[in-house]
Amino acid sequence: MLANYRRLIAEHSEPLSYFSDLAALESAKRQENGVKARIAAGRFPTIKTIEAFDFSLQAQLPKAKLLEHFDGRFVDQHRNVVFTGPPDPATLCTSWRIAC
């Protein structure tokens, strides 16, 4: 973090732009720490992201259709995303069909 402060000082000759970038950096760090704290409070055994999901294990899962829902537009459009299907004991995942 100290390296980031020093980098900002070197990049800015104007105090106002320095403090603006410093506030943005601080805000981003607080957001990151908040997410980490909520994950720790949830006691999740591992952290999994959609980027790490292996779509080849669920060939019937439409990757493009699923990923388009991660921008949250369906909320603004007052639509629901429903994941249904029987559990697959071989992969411990749900076979999903997306209904919109």
Side-chain angles (χ1 to χ4, degrees):
M1 193 71 174
L2 185 58
N4 287 331
Y5 294 145
R6 289 184 177 146
R7 179 185 53 81
L8 287 175
I9 289 172
E11 290 176 359
H12 299 288
S13 59
E14 294 292 321
L16 187 58
S17 63
Y18 167 74
F19 284 120
S20 174
D21 285 351
L22 188 62
L25 181 66
E26 179 71 20
S27 177
K29 195 63 175 173
R30 284 178 183 255
Q31 174 70 21
E32 180 184 332
N33 289 341
V35 169
K36 287 180 182 178
R38 286 187 290 280
I39 289 172
R43 297 183 186 156
F44 293 109
T46 59
I47 297 172
K48 296 185 179 185
T49 63
I50 193 65
E51 292 83 13
F53 186 79
D54 186 3
F55 283 91
S56 66
L57 295 176
Q58 294 282 339
Q60 72 277 14
L61 182 64
K63 179 179 180 179
K65 184 134 176 98
L66 178 68
L67 292 178
E68 76 183 30
H69 294 298
F70 279 85
D71 63 6
R73 279 184 292 166
F74 69 94
V75 176
D76 295 332
Q77 297 168 351
H78 304 285
R79 297 173 64 198
N80 296 319
V81 177
V82 179
F83 300 102
T84 63
D88 181 1
T91 61
L92 298 175
C93 293
T94 299
S95 299
W96 295 334
R97 287 185 297 277
I98 301 175
C100 295

